Amino acid sequence: MDAVQFLQNFLNGISIGSVYAIFALGYTLVFSILGIINFAHGAIFTLGAYLTYSLAVGQFGIGGLLADLQLPFQFSFTISLFIGAILSGMAGVLVERCAFRPLRTRGADPLLALVSSLGVALVTVNLLQYLVGSEIYSFPSDVYGDIRPAFLLHIGEKLVVVRTVQIIIFAVSMVVLALLGYLIGWTRIGKALRAVAENASTASLLGINVDRFILYTFFLSGFLGGMAGSLVGTSFGIAGPYFGVSYGLKGLAVIVMGGLGSIPGAVLGGMVIGLAEAFVPSEYSAYKEAVAFAFLFAVLLIRPQGLLGSSQIQKV
Amino acid sequence: MALLKLKNLSVNYGAIQAVRGLDLEVHSGEVVTLIGANGAGKSTALRAISRLLKVREGSIYFEGREITAQAPDAVVRMGIAQSPEGRQVLARQSVLDNLELGAFVRKDRAGIKSDIAKMFQLFPRLEERKDQSAGTLSGGEQQMLAIARAMMSRPKLLMLDEPSLGLAPLIIREIFSIIRNLNAEGTTILLVEQNARLAMQHSHRTYVLEAGQITFTGPSQELLSDERVLHAYLGG
Ligand SMILES: Nc1ncnc2c1ncn2[C@@H]1O[C@H](COP(=O)(O)OP(=O)(O)OP(=O)(O)O)[C@@H](O)[C@H]1O
Ligand SMILES: [Mg+2]
C-alpha cells in the first residue's frame, strides 16, 4: 500500500468510524446508568434511518403497508436528520418505558431487561417490515441539495476521492460528539447524569429525580442511534428493516473494544473499528465484519478491559 | 407543631422487620439524637424518612404534611437533607461538583455560590481540595464533604448518619462543633451516632432505639445520667 492509498483508507476509516462512535455512545450512556446493554439500540438505528428518509424524500417505497404513500411534507436533509434523531430519541424513551422501567420498578434482575429489550427490537423491526417493506431504500443523490458529490485530491499521478457524504457524516458526528461532551462534562444536567451513573440512591438523596434522568439517557441514546442510522443510510442506503442488526453487533464490538461504560472508549473504539475496516483490501471486503471482530479479539487478548476501560468494570 | 413526626413507623427488608412502630418527633430548632446498638434500625429509619425505603406501616409528616408516599427528590425539595452512613460522596466527581450537586434542587445561582464559599469557610480543607476528585479525599475529608453537601440544599432538617464514624478524636470534636454552629444558625438536626455520649452532650433530646423500637426517650441531659442508658450505651 502506498501513501496515497493509505490516505484514502484513512479518510474512509475516520468518516465511518465517527458514525460508529456516536452510535456506540448510545449503548455506553445506557450502560453507564443501568449497567446493562440495550439490545433495542440497533432497531432504533434502523428506525432513525427510515424516519429521516421519509422526512427528506416525502414518500415511501414500493412495499409494505405504506407503499407509494406520498407525505404532505418534505424537508431539507439537515432538518430531516434533526427531526429524525429527535423522533428516534422519543422512541428510545418508549423503549425505556416498555422494556426497562416495568422490570426495574418490580425489582427484577437487570439481566431480564436484555431479553425484554431484544423483544422490543424484534417487534420494531417486524413492524418496520410490515410498514415499509423489505426492499432497499436509497437516498436520492440530490438529497443534500445542489452540491458536488465528491472532492478529488490529486497527489502526483494518484487520486484520493472524498465523497461529500463522507465529509457530512464526519462533520455531523464531530459536532454531535462535541455537544454531547459539553453536555455531560460541563452542564448541571451532565453532572446529575454522572451522579446517577455513579450511585443512584446517593443521587436521589441530592434531590435528583433518578427516573427522569434515566429517561433523558434513553432519549440521548435514541437520538444518537437514530442519527447514526440516518448517516449510514444516506451513505450506503437502507438495506431493509434488518439493516440495523449488523450495525448493532458492530456497536457492541466498539464499546467492548473501547472499554464498557467509557465515553472516550466508545469514541476511540469506533474510530479503531472504522479504520480497521477501511484498511481491509477491497478484494476481501466481504470479510470486513470478520476483520473488525478479529481485531477486537486481538485487542481483548492484550487488554481484556478494553482500550480505555478500567480493570474493574466501572461506569462512565 | 413538630417539624418531623414519625407515627407508628414500620419498615421491612423482605420478611425482616427493621423498624417496628417507631414514634418520633423533631421540633424546629432542635438537635435530636437517635442512638442504639448495631442493627437497631437507625439507618433504616433515616432512609425511610428520605423515602429511599418503602414504609410498611405508619406515617411520616414533615411540617404537618404527610410525606409517607413521596419520592426521594420531592422530600429534598421540601427541605430534608441527609448525609448518609458511609458518606457516599460521588467519588468520580470533584469536591466542587459534589457541592454543586448538593444544591441541585436550588435555582438561585448567587445564593449557591455564596453558600459554597461559606462551606469552604467552615471546612477550609475542602477548599484546598476543591478540584480534586472526591474519591481521593481522606475519610475525614469525605465526611466533611458529605455534611457540607447535605447543607447545600439549605435544608430545614439535616439528618446525619454517623458523622463521626472512623474519624480521629480531634476531627470528631471539630465535626460536633460544626453541628452545634449549624444548629445555632437555625438548622434542625436529627443525629444518628455510635458515639452516644458526645452526641447526647450536643443535643437537646435523645431517643434510644432497640431492635426497631424506642425504649427510652427524654432530654439528653436526663438520659445522660439515667442508670439504664448509662449502663447499656455509655459504657458506665
Ligand atoms: N439492605 C438490607 N437488606 C436486608 N436487611 C437489612 C438491609 N439493611 C439493613 N438490614 C437489616 O435491618 C436491620 C437494621 O439495620 P440498620 O442499618 O438500620 O441498623 P443501624 O441501627 O443503622 O446499625 P449500625 O449502627 O450498625 O449502622 C439490621 O438487622 C440489618 O441487618
Ligand atoms: Mg446505621
Side-chain angles (χ1 to χ4, degrees):
Chain A
M1 180 181 357
D2 58 24
V4 174
Q5 184 63 44
F6 183 90
L7 181 63
Q8 177 75 64
N9 291 345
F10 179 78
L11 293 177
N12 292 346
I14 59 167
S15 173
I16 194 67
S18 67
V19 146
Y20 291 169
I22 63 168
F23 177 60
L25 273 176
Y27 280 123
T28 298
L29 290 178
V30 170
F31 184 84
S32 302
I33 299 279
L34 297 180
I36 39 179
I37 302 289
N38 168 19
F39 276 118
H41 196 48
I44 300 270
F45 176 94
T46 311
L47 179 70
Y50 280 112
L51 285 168
T52 299
Y53 178 91
S54 53
L55 291 165
V57 178
Q59 67 174 28
F60 290 90
I62 48 169
L65 192 69
L66 302 179
D68 299 321
L69 179 72
Q70 198 79 36
L71 292 176
F73 47 76
Q74 196 178 348
F75 300 103
S76 75
F77 178 75
T78 315
I79 293 188
S80 305
L81 181 65
F82 189 69
I83 301 178
I86 298 263
L87 293 175
S88 304
M90 291 177 176
V93 166
L94 212 60
V95 168
E96 202 277 320
R97 280 287 162 93
C98 298
F100 289 85
R101 181 170 303 191
L103 292 173
R104 199 170 59 247
T105 53
R106 287 171 182 75
D109 189 321
L111 279 180
L112 291 181
L114 294 183
V115 181
S116 60
S117 66
L118 203 55
V120 169
L122 287 175
V123 169
T124 309
V125 167
N126 285 322
L127 201 63
L128 279 172
Q129 182 155 21
Y130 179 64
L131 290 175
V132 302
S134 50
E135 76 269 15
I136 295 173
Y137 280 61
S138 296
F139 281 74
S141 55
D142 64 350
V143 70
Y144 311 119
D146 193 17
I147 47 177
R148 55 197 291 187
F151 294 82
L152 308 178
L153 251 69
H154 294 274
I155 299 176
E157 302 279 276
K158 300 263 176 54
L159 196 62
V160 172
V161 183
V162 183
R163 292 159 64 212
T164 307
V165 54
Q166 290 181 298
I167 300 174
I168 291 174
I169 284 182
F170 184 73
V172 170
S173 301
M174 285 300 130
V175 169
V176 167
L177 276 183
L179 289 176
L180 192 73
Y182 172 74
L183 176 76
I184 290 176
W186 301 98
T187 65
R188 192 176 102 96
I189 300 254
K191 285 172 190 174
L193 213 55
R194 281 183 286 142
V196 174
E198 183 169 340
N199 187 332
S201 83
T202 299
S204 58
L205 276 184
L206 302 178
I208 296 167
N209 183 335
V210 170
D211 274 333
R212 183 177 306 159
F213 275 81
I214 291 174
L215 277 189
Y216 291 168
T217 305
F218 273 85
F219 177 83
L220 283 176
S221 166
F223 184 95
L224 293 169
M227 171 125 345
S230 309
L231 292 174
V232 171
T234 91
S235 183
F236 304 114
I238 308 172
Y242 291 91
F243 163 63
V245 173
S246 66
Y247 287 96
L249 290 176
K250 210 175 292 181
L252 290 177
V254 167
I255 56 170
V256 173
M257 162 101 68
L260 275 177
S262 160
I263 287 178
V267 176
L268 181 65
M271 288 297 182
V272 169
I273 297 241
L275 284 167
E277 283 183 0
F279 279 92
V280 174
S282 53
E283 58 267 38
Y284 297 113
S285 67
Y287 304 105
K288 249 187 190 171
E289 320 238 302
V291 167
F293 276 91
F295 205 73
L296 168 67
F297 285 128
V299 167
L300 292 185
L301 280 179
I302 302 161
R303 272 187 75 83
Q305 69 272 40
L307 293 171
L308 299 182
S310 43
S311 40
Q312 280 177 322
I313 289 190
Q314 208 182 42
K315 304 186 206 161
V316 179
Chain B
M1 186 184 65
L3 182 64
L4 175 77
K5 187 177 162 99
L6 307 183
K7 232 166 87 182
N8 191 32
L9 186 76
S10 296
V11 184
N12 277 39
Y13 295 104
I16 306 165
Q17 198 168 16
V19 168
R20 30 187 121 198
L22 175 60
D23 287 303
L24 180 150
E25 281 188 11
V26 181
H27 296 273
S28 262
E30 275 189 315
V31 177
V32 171
T33 300
L34 183 58
I35 59 172
N38 292 122
K42 306 179 296 291
S43 300
T44 302
L46 294 199
R47 282 202 289 268
I49 297 167
S50 283
R51 308 300 316 109
L52 295 178
L53 294 174
K54 265 210 191 91
V55 170
R56 182 193 177 86
E57 222 193 299
S59 7
I60 308 170
Y61 297 89
F62 185 68
E63 297 188 300
R65 281 177 63 188
E66 177 156 11
I67 59 165
T68 321
Q70 290 286 354
D73 60 296
V75 298
V76 178
R77 264 168 242 281
M78 288 177 192
I80 304 179
Q82 179 178 171
S83 160
E85 188 171 29
R87 306 184 270 266
Q88 313 269 355
V89 297
L90 296 164
R92 279 179 258 142
Q93 302 204 44
S94 71
V95 168
L96 198 58
D97 285 351
N98 267 271
L99 290 175
E100 279 175 5
L101 281 168
F104 185 79
V105 297
R106 292 169 58 186
K107 298 281 183 285
D108 54 323
R109 291 226 126 264
I112 294 172
K113 226 174 161 179
S114 80
D115 278 5
I116 288 180
K118 197 178 134 198
M119 291 307 145
F120 283 157
Q121 220 167 23
L122 222 47
F123 305 99
R125 250 177 294 199
L126 294 183
E127 178 159 33
E128 290 160 27
R129 291 160 178 74
K130 66 180 193 299
D131 297 318
Q132 204 167 313
S133 64
T136 64
L137 298 180
S138 77
E141 291 160 354
Q142 290 189 18
Q143 189 65 64
M144 296 173 196
L145 179 57
I147 297 173
R149 186 181 65 184
M151 284 303 296
M152 284 302 299
S153 64
R154 285 210 181 154
K156 294 170 187 149
L157 174 67
L158 174 64
M159 303 194 292
L160 302 171
D161 197 344
E162 310 216 15
S164 75
L165 191 74
L167 303 188
L170 212 62
I171 301 183
I172 295 180
R173 303 230 158 253
E174 207 176 307
I175 297 252
F176 273 96
S177 93
I178 284 165
I179 289 172
R180 181 168 278 173
N181 286 340
L182 291 176
N183 178 245
E185 287 171 18
T187 307
T188 306
I189 291 167
L190 176 57
L191 179 63
V192 166
E193 261 295 337
Q194 290 293 343
N195 208 325
R197 186 184 303 275
L198 203 55
M200 289 166 79
Q201 284 166 349
H202 284 80
S203 64
H204 302 99
R205 287 189 303 117
T206 294
Y207 288 86
V208 180
L209 196 60
E210 249 175 58
Q213 286 172 308
I214 299 293
T215 46
F216 301 100
T217 176
S220 301
Q221 285 311 318
E222 282 175 28
L223 286 192
L224 268 171
S225 53
D226 187 302
E227 285 285 322
R228 296 158 305 176
V229 176
L230 206 63
H231 189 70
Y233 298 101
L234 303 172

